[in-house]
Amino acid sequence: GAVVSQHPSRVICKSGTSVKIECRSLDFQATTMFWYRQFPKQSLMLMATSNEGSKATYEQGVEKDKFLINHASLTLSTLTVTSAHPEDSSFYICSATVSGGTDTQYFGPGTRLTVL
Amino acid sequence: LAKTTQPISMDSYEGQEVNITCSHNNIATNDYITWYQQFPSQGPRFIIQGYKTKVTNEVASLFIPADRKSSTLSLPRVSLSDTAVYYCLVGDIRGNKLVFGAGTILRVKS
């Protein structure tokens, strides 16, 4: 149980294009999902907290117009990197909490974004 | 959010027990302690979570002293496949927000 998936697992795009990453909770409903970014040999950095049916809460220094987050249902949250640039190349990871339990965060497998 | 401090790296050999200690002096009353394992290019994997005393599951044990200012993750009889980064996180269950520290790089050698 508590499986989180991400799609795509890796994406390569040209500079200036937008990329959408999906995060799904497969066997549970997730009221809250989180988006992280991880650069090589560094720890995970929280980007934003996504709550179903409401606007995402972004961490300081994260541009909300650059990283669009939509949490339209209890099992799906999407992160869109708009007008991507090479410096946006990173490993993006989502997590979801199991509502009603201990609210442990379960993480997706991650999405490797490379912007050329 | 309580800050955590862990050793940067640890080395061990196959079959040994590994104990990784995490300091969290500013832990709050509502905070739980959670440990994750991460392999390169993968998302973190939940290992164990606790509030106080001792918690054990099929992969690890978590020891938390009475003052809760530290915790120790114990991995019994490690194998080469346990080589990974281990993160200790402290957070309010109700708030859910977690902040990752640098983690501990565990290297298991044969």
Side-chain angles (χ1 to χ4, degrees):
Chain A
V3 177
V4 177
S5 70
Q6 283 184 240
H7 179 79
S9 58
R10 59 178 59 218
V11 56
I12 301 173
C13 69
K14 294 182 178 180
S15 184
T17 60
S18 294
V19 175
K20 180 185 286 188
I21 302 170
E22 292 185 349
C23 176
R24 293 182 185 273
S25 56
L26 297 185
D27 51 0
F28 65 97
Q29 292 185 332
T31 307
T32 305
M33 290 184 172
F34 302 85
W35 287 94
Y36 295 82
R37 180 167 54 179
Q38 186 175 32
F39 292 107
K41 299 190 183 303
Q42 293 187 22
S43 187
L44 283 77
M45 183 189 76
L46 179 65
M47 299 175 67
T49 302
S50 170
N51 291 293
E52 186 266 338
S54 62
K55 291 183 178 180
T57 302
Y58 291 81
E59 294 300 302
Q60 189 173 7
V62 179
E63 300 175 56
K64 62 179 181 180
D65 295 328
K66 172 78 171 176
F67 300 99
L68 301 179
I69 293 173
N70 183 275
H71 193 159
S73 76
L74 287 173
T75 59
L76 173 65
S77 176
T78 60
L79 168 68
T80 301
V81 183
T82 62
S83 187
H85 291 282
E87 57 266 30
D88 298 322
S89 298
S90 188
F91 192 53
Y92 291 86
I93 309 170
C94 72
S95 71
T97 55
V98 181
S99 302
T102 60
D103 288 334
T104 301
Q105 282 193 38
Y106 293 93
F107 287 81
T111 296
R112 174 75 58 192
L113 171 63
T114 302
V115 185
L116 302 176
Chain B
L1 295 171
K3 180 181 177 181
T4 60
T5 303
Q6 304 173 232
I8 295 175
S9 65
M10 295 181 67
D11 291 332
S12 182
Y13 288 92
E14 286 187 288
Q16 290 187 333
E17 177 185 80
V18 171
N19 296 307
I20 306 174
T21 297
C22 177
S23 297
H24 28 79
N25 292 317
N26 297 322
I27 189 169
T29 303
N30 295 321
D31 287 344
Y32 275 69
I33 301 157
T34 311
W35 285 80
Y36 289 90
Q37 174 194 57
Q38 187 182 28
F39 298 112
S41 296
Q42 294 187 28
R45 183 177 76 100
F46 172 82
I47 301 175
I48 198 165
Q49 182 179 71
Y51 184 81
K52 61 180 179 180
T53 63
K54 176 184 175 181
V55 180
T56 298
N57 61 22
E58 62 275 11
V59 297
S61 294
L62 179 60
F63 299 92
I64 306 169
D67 65 4
R68 304 203 323 125
K69 293 183 182 299
S70 67
S71 59
T72 299
L73 174 72
S74 181
L75 304 172
R77 297 181 298 281
V78 294
S79 63
L80 294 175
S81 62
D82 292 318
T83 294
V85 179
Y86 291 82
Y87 294 100
C88 161
L89 292 101
V90 174
D92 185 342
I93 279 296
R94 297 171 303 176
N96 294 322
K97 185 173 177 177
L98 297 176
V99 177
F100 280 78
T104 297
I105 300 171
L106 172 65
R107 302 185 192 90
V108 180
K109 305 174 184 178
S110 59

